[in-house]
Amino acid sequence: KTLSAKNILEGKVIDITFLGATIRFHVDINGKIVMADKIVSALENMKFQSGDKVFVRIEPENCVIFPRE
């Protein structure tokens, strides 16, 4: 994939949690941990493993910013 598209970041999978129809990924992007949930169907073949290089697309309307306390 090309990284020229907006809001696409390269990272590395560090943890995967299966939550029924949802898979939660923890991805290291430049030393920051990002959590991403993926809803999967029975027909999808998700074969990510810890350590895999991935590309994460972040849609601005799906972001929530929390104040630092």
Side-chain angles (χ1 to χ4, degrees):
K1 286 196 171 195
T2 178
L3 294 180
S4 63
K6 289 183 179 180
N7 301 327
I8 295 180
L9 305 169
E10 184 175 350
K12 182 173 71 170
V13 176
I14 58 169
D15 187 46
I16 302 169
T17 305
F18 296 93
L19 304 166
T22 302
I23 300 174
R24 177 163 292 159
F25 298 93
H26 288 88
V27 180
D28 182 331
I29 299 175
N30 294 326
K32 304 291 184 189
I33 306 304
V34 174
M35 183 178 65
D37 288 347
K38 170 78 172 143
I39 298 172
V40 294
S41 71
L43 301 176
E44 264 186 288
N45 190 6
M46 301 289 292
K47 290 191 175 184
F48 292 109
Q49 297 179 13
S50 291
D52 283 353
K53 183 172 84 169
V54 294
F55 295 94
V56 177
R57 182 178 66 211
I58 300 173
E59 299 295 340
E61 62 272 12
N62 294 329
C63 293
V64 179
I65 299 174
F66 296 97
R68 182 179 288 208
E69 296 187 73

